[in-house]
Amino acid sequence: MNVLVINAGSSSLKYQLLNMENESVMASGLVERIGDAKGVLTHKKMNGADEEKTVIERAIPNHKEGLHLVVDLITDPEKGVIKDKKEIYAIGHRVVQGGEQFNTSIRIDESIKQAIRDNNPLAPLHNPANLVGIEVAEELFPGTPNVAVFDTEFHQTMPPKAFLYGLPYEYYKELRIRRYGFHGTSHKYVAKKAASVIGKKLEDVNVITVHLGNGCSMAAVKKGKCIDTSMGMTPLAGVMMGTRSGDFDPAIIPYLVKHKGMNVHDLDDVFNKKSGLKGICGLNDMRDIHAKVEQGDEMARLALDMFVYRVKKYIGAYTAALGTLDIVAFTAGIGENDDIARKEICEDMEGLGILFDADKNKGRFASPQAIHKDGSKVQVWVIPTNEELQIAQDTVSTLS
Ligand code: AMP
């Protein structure tokens, strides 16, 4: 049973074809710069552990053309991985914003597309692009079921006390202003995996999932249900990120308008693209920041300190929210690869029951790795995320 996973952006289309019998990746790739004079398709066919890479550079005027090229590659008589596109059982689509309508993945029909469209105002950069991906897939794969898997669905179990803001209640009712949370497929996958690697059921443990990549978010998962998460109505809130601010006092907004003459677009641009690590030290990639710290750069050191401090604070807050904590699970680009950040976050947390093991922590991990000392009340793990596999699993379970 093969499942195609599609994550469509405004000018890109990421895909992965999985064999769900053994949950292995058959092929994956990325179509970029759709609509530009020169587009790029980078396709990888998996041969066991080896990758066979194909790069196509040419104008790719729209998503349909992009997906057409992908279909040609995966069904190519010599280079392909399947003979016919009919061998694809279903297509799973990452959809960013499911609002309050969707607390689970769902088979797509016209009414579901309309519901996704209704959420466009809440995710104006993402949902319209996700819809294009869905419509193109419907056109190129007639008769094949499409399933929407929402970034927000895992967080829909949050209670009102966690998802509401201290704003006039009618803003929630009229404008749907509330915390939704994002990276849901990652938090779900990582929480499940963390429970399974320690031989427990997810329903029997409390987990804090720490997704630290380009975007960073954390979730408090109590007995399998998300009870709080750090991102908000948009992916700007929470911990500090590469270029996004994370939490700050909203009164700063009118202050900036008054003193810097900034408008809505300027503010949006600064908070999303020029803040976070970049806003402090000019760099947003953790690898570059570590290199600067090594050279004694004080602003890079400050940026790293701020990043670490904020993650620590959320671990403390979520421990309190959960009541008891069993596992902290790190994931994504920084979480999986950055032993310095993990060490600085987990050090001096004995009071919360975390006995961190700096030796076990050393390195980058492509499979689950314990990084706590024997006898630690709270287990700390690196759990590589796999959002595509989670989307494919949810696609299969939705249809069965
Ligand atoms: P992601 O969004 O999950 O792909 O994560 C991307 C981020 O991971 C990059 O911006 C880097 O800051 C970080 N990253 C990737 N590899 C490393 C590494 N070896 N050490 C530190 N940070 C890394």
Side-chain angles (χ1 to χ4, degrees):
M1 187 191 288
N2 306 321
V3 172
L4 180 64
V5 172
I6 291 182
N7 181 356
S10 55
S11 61
S12 67
L13 192 143
K14 207 172 157 193
Y15 60 92
Q16 199 170 92
L17 182 64
L18 296 105
N19 174 346
M20 293 308 285
E21 256 88 65
N22 54 13
E23 299 194 330
S24 64
V25 178
M26 303 162 82
S28 65
L30 176 65
V31 190
E32 289 172 285
R33 292 189 224 145
I34 295 172
D36 282 8
K38 193 155 115 192
V40 186
L41 194 173
T42 311
H43 177 81
K44 289 179 195 162
K45 172 185 167 180
M46 301 308 296
N47 267 333
D50 296 334
E51 288 177 0
E52 202 179 292
K53 195 164 153 185
T54 308
V55 178
I56 298 174
E57 290 188 342
R58 49 163 268 203
I60 303 171
N62 51 43
H63 287 71
K64 186 174 174 189
E65 186 73 20
L67 192 57
H68 221 302
L69 288 172
V70 174
V71 173
D72 285 349
L73 281 169
I74 56 180
T75 56
D76 184 88
E78 277 174 30
K79 287 183 163 184
V81 287
I82 52 174
K83 289 199 185 72
D84 193 284
K85 62 184 181 182
K86 292 206 176 78
E87 288 174 41
I88 294 174
Y89 162 72
I91 303 166
H93 297 265
R94 178 192 182 214
V95 179
V96 165
Q97 181 53 273
E100 289 191 335
Q101 294 98 314
F102 299 108
N103 58 8
T104 181
S105 308
I106 195 150
R107 184 169 178 165
I108 297 168
D109 60 18
E110 287 308 313
S111 72
I112 298 303
K113 282 196 282 182
Q114 187 54 46
I116 295 171
R117 216 169 280 126
D118 291 343
N119 285 323
N120 283 357
L122 294 172
L125 298 180
H126 293 96
N127 272 31
N130 301 154
L131 271 165
V132 170
I134 291 167
E135 282 174 343
V136 165
E138 286 175 331
E139 243 182 293
L140 288 185
F141 296 87
T144 305
N146 288 277
V147 172
V149 180
F150 301 92
D151 238 28
T152 47
E153 63 184 56
F154 183 61
H155 304 303
Q156 276 296 306
T157 46
M158 283 188 288
K161 68 180 177 188
F163 73 65
L164 283 173
Y165 294 119
L167 291 169
Y169 190 72
E170 64 263 26
Y171 293 177
Y172 165 57
K173 285 290 166 203
E174 280 168 24
L175 296 165
R176 298 184 283 166
I177 292 177
R178 52 157 286 177
R179 180 190 307 281
Y180 291 98
F182 299 90
H183 292 143
T185 47
S186 178
H187 289 290
K188 179 177 176 181
Y189 178 85
V190 170
K192 254 189 340 182
K193 192 81 179 175
S196 85
V197 292
I198 68 163
K200 295 249 170 110
K201 285 194 188 138
L202 185 55
E203 298 76 42
D204 295 331
V205 287
N206 291 346
V207 190
I208 296 177
T209 43
V210 187
H211 179 115
L212 304 178
N214 278 322
C216 300
S217 67
M218 297 176 57
V221 184
K222 187 169 188 151
K223 308 211 179 307
K225 289 201 160 66
C226 175
I227 60 160
D228 206 350
T229 191
S230 61
M231 283 180 167
M233 173 160 152
T234 76
L236 185 60
V239 292
M240 199 166 100
M241 309 176 214
T243 63
R244 286 176 245 169
S245 62
D247 297 336
F248 66 92
D249 182 345
I252 292 166
I253 297 169
Y255 192 84
L256 284 172
V257 171
K258 195 166 162 200
H259 294 280
K260 283 240 180 210
M262 292 167 84
N263 63 28
V264 172
H265 300 290
D266 303 331
L267 292 164
D268 206 40
D269 188 51
V270 168
F271 300 153
N272 278 293
K273 298 189 184 142
K274 296 176 183 152
S275 297
L277 296 166
K278 189 171 192 170
I280 300 297
C281 72
L283 301 166
N284 60 286
D285 192 304
M286 227 15 138
R287 289 164 288 201
D288 300 334
I289 291 174
H290 291 314
K292 281 280 180 193
V293 171
E294 285 245 314
Q295 294 161 16
D297 187 295
E298 284 179 15
M299 294 313 284
R301 182 66 259 177
L302 176 61
L304 181 57
D305 285 346
M306 291 172 66
F307 180 86
V308 164
Y309 181 65
R310 279 157 175 72
V311 177
K312 256 183 191 291
K313 282 211 294 191
Y314 264 98
I315 292 177
Y318 285 172
T319 304
L322 290 166
T324 55
L325 175 62
D326 300 298
I327 312 170
V328 175
F330 285 94
T331 199
I334 298 170
E336 293 165 28
N337 298 306
D338 188 341
D339 48 13
I340 301 171
R342 287 194 305 258
K343 178 167 176 282
E344 295 190 4
I345 291 165
C346 294
E347 270 176 346
D348 303 324
M349 300 266 267
E350 290 81 6
L352 293 186
I354 295 173
L355 298 182
F356 180 69
D357 191 319
D359 290 330
K360 286 187 196 160
N361 174 58
K362 278 195 190 117
R364 302 168 57 186
F365 301 114
S367 56
Q369 167 76 24
I371 55 171
H372 56 272
K373 285 196 174 126
D374 292 346
S376 181
K377 183 175 147 308
V378 175
Q379 301 206 18
V380 188
W381 284 80
V382 178
I383 307 281
T385 195
N386 195 337
E387 288 163 276
E388 287 80 10
L389 177 57
Q390 186 61 56
I391 292 172
Q393 285 173 345
D394 287 345
T395 299
V396 171
S397 63
T398 300
L399 295 171
S400 59

